[in-house]
Amino acid sequence: MLELVNTPPLLLADYAPVAGEEAVAEIRRLAQPLRGARVLHVNATKFGGGVAEILPTLCGLMRDAGLDTEWRIIPGDEAFYNVTKALHNGLQGQPLSLDDRMRETYRRANEGFAQAFEGDYDFVVIHDPQPAALRMLRPDAGGHWIWRCHIDLTAANAEVWGFLRPAVEAYDAAIFTLPEYVQPDLQLDTLAYIPPSIDPISPKNAALDQSLADSIAYRFGVDPARPLLLQVSRFDPWKDPKGVIEVYRAVKREVPDVQLALVASMATDDPEGWQIYKDVLRFAGQDPDLSIVTNLDGVGAVEVNAFQRASEVVLQKSLREGFGLTVSEALWKGVPVVAGNVGGIPMQLGDTGGRLVSSIDEATAACLELLRDPELRRSLGEGGRERVRRHFLSTRNLRDYLALFTALRTGDRSLVPAGIEASGTTAGAAA
Ligand code: UDP
């Protein structure tokens, strides 16, 4: 059987003070007819990256809502993850030719996962491309099968998408973060649009006293008396870590006491990360105002929380971004964000929250503008926090899943979530 990941018990009631009583009541109403349903989430890693961040909360809250929910991971090896990272990069637009060996590595690994798959579930949610072929290889398994795509497919490489498409078309439904990600040739009856979410009361996002946040950041070499720019991201070409360093250097010419922290975690399904980490260290050189720290230095959820709160401006200078949880995480703390105008980022900022940028020069100008204007930082941060509260908390994500499950079970297509702006199924009115 696929390895089970333990997730903490959570109480929906604890979310009412932040998400609102009504949001919690709606979840309970939707969950009532689904009580006892067996739900399985499958992804590639239990640590590192956005999916591993979302699933503990989603599973814990689904269980408290009465659904019997499990999270399991696939047992990939390095050769497999090298192929799936290449697939991921191809789907985000990198040129890539898939040779026979890569196709075979992917297929054979998925055959192993399919053989290991056991159990009876009412709803099986398979996350991202790594285990996507599971459904095609186990057409006999019961229940409604959903493929949940977390990546930015706006410029997907046609060959890579063509390879994945038959696997995706074996599902009953697919979830995308945005309608723009759906490839025009995809033939699937049910397409849902559900943005990801952050857990407002997890150790990463819960309230933390400013002086404690500052003293935690101080332990990692940050001077709380001077301005701090931050990017929290895996080492990945799409997160543009070198671009962030260039922005910092340009800002420093105008604001000499500015500091930069790059906080990164190493995901077990991301073999590319180590190479990029070394490149970034080399590119950063010796600079006492530039800190590069990882989970291996002891940066866990609370430390990320502290770094975000200790920052004047959070950067997310992505070149592609399925969603970018780090954007909502910073906004939730009232910290303005300067972020790439790509993928799921504009949806999070809305017309508040910070500045969308498309170049190093634009990012530099936006950081300078914000560093020089505390009142602007405060008002953008406050607007961003409210937008996150309305649209990007775990309760809205859970409600959308429950609505999709109900739609699949009853055939009532009006319940299929349609995204945050258009959908009547969102927490609160659309902004
Ligand atoms: N993250 C972390 N420590 C790090 C780097 C990242 O905990 O050193 C978390 C980050 O806070 C966020 C997630 O990993 O919750 C990354 O999700 P995102 O959607 O931003 O990007 P992905 O890695 O999925 O592309």
Side-chain angles (χ1 to χ4, degrees), residues 88-273:
H88 175 102
N89 288 342
L91 289 170
Q92 295 216 133
Q94 214 171 63
L96 170 77
S97 193
L98 272 179
D99 61 30
D100 288 348
R101 190 191 48 79
M102 294 168 87
R103 290 168 193 262
E104 196 47 34
T105 302
Y106 179 82
R107 197 182 163 83
R108 222 172 316 116
N110 267 273
E111 276 164 4
F113 311 150
Q115 270 166 19
F117 180 90
E118 283 171 16
D120 285 323
Y121 298 95
D122 297 293
F123 301 98
V124 181
V125 186
I126 303 286
H127 294 258
D128 277 341
Q130 298 95 329
L134 247 174
R135 178 47 163 168
M136 186 170 74
L137 297 166
R138 284 300 300 270
D140 57 305
H144 300 279
W145 283 62
I146 301 162
W147 185 57
R148 203 307 176 209
C149 175
H150 292 269
I151 56 192
D152 180 347
L153 297 179
T154 36
N157 171 312
E159 187 184 340
V160 178
W161 167 248
F163 172 65
L164 204 63
R165 185 164 70 95
V168 174
E169 289 179 348
Y171 287 82
D172 301 302
I175 303 173
F176 294 91
T177 297
L178 286 169
E180 295 93 286
Y181 293 170
V182 178
Q183 300 302 291
D185 55 355
L186 174 63
Q187 303 278 331
L188 205 56
D189 274 352
T190 303
L191 298 178
Y193 304 109
I194 305 182
S197 57
I198 64 162
D199 182 336
I201 56 173
S202 68
K204 179 164 292 169
N205 297 311
L208 189 65
D209 187 69
Q210 188 65 45
S211 65
L212 180 56
D214 288 347
S215 75
I216 291 174
Y218 182 72
R219 291 173 181 231
F220 292 93
V222 170
D223 175 359
R226 293 195 281 134
L228 175 65
L229 305 176
L230 168 73
Q231 178 158 301
V232 178
S233 281
R234 287 179 297 107
F235 284 117
D236 177 299
W238 307 107
K239 312 281 186 184
D240 197 15
K242 287 187 184 172
V244 173
I245 293 175
E246 290 189 55
V247 170
Y248 153 76
R249 285 180 179 150
V251 170
K252 203 167 182 59
R253 284 197 279 277
E254 308 279 326
V255 181
D257 62 351
V258 75
Q259 309 164 86
L260 172 67
L262 291 177
V263 174
S265 66
M266 299 300 182
T268 51
D269 65 339
D270 185 4
E272 201 183 12

Side-chain angles (χ1 to χ4, degrees), residues 47-54 88 92 128 150-151 196 198 204-205 231-236 239 262-267 270 293-295 299-301 304-305 308 316 318 320-327 329 333 348:
F47 181 78
V51 183
E53 186 75 24
I54 293 164
H88 175 102
Q92 295 216 133
D128 277 341
H150 292 269
I151 56 192
I198 64 162
K204 179 164 292 169
N205 297 311
Q231 178 158 301
V232 178
S233 281
R234 287 179 297 107
F235 284 117
D236 177 299
K239 312 281 186 184
L262 291 177
V263 174
S265 66
M266 299 300 182
D270 185 4
V293 291
T294 74
N295 52 313
V299 179
V304 170
N305 188 341
Q308 288 166 331
Q316 189 54 55
S318 302
R320 292 266 190 277
E321 191 63 78
F323 182 71
L325 290 176
T326 49
V327 172
E329 288 166 5
K333 292 156 187 125
Q348 296 181 71

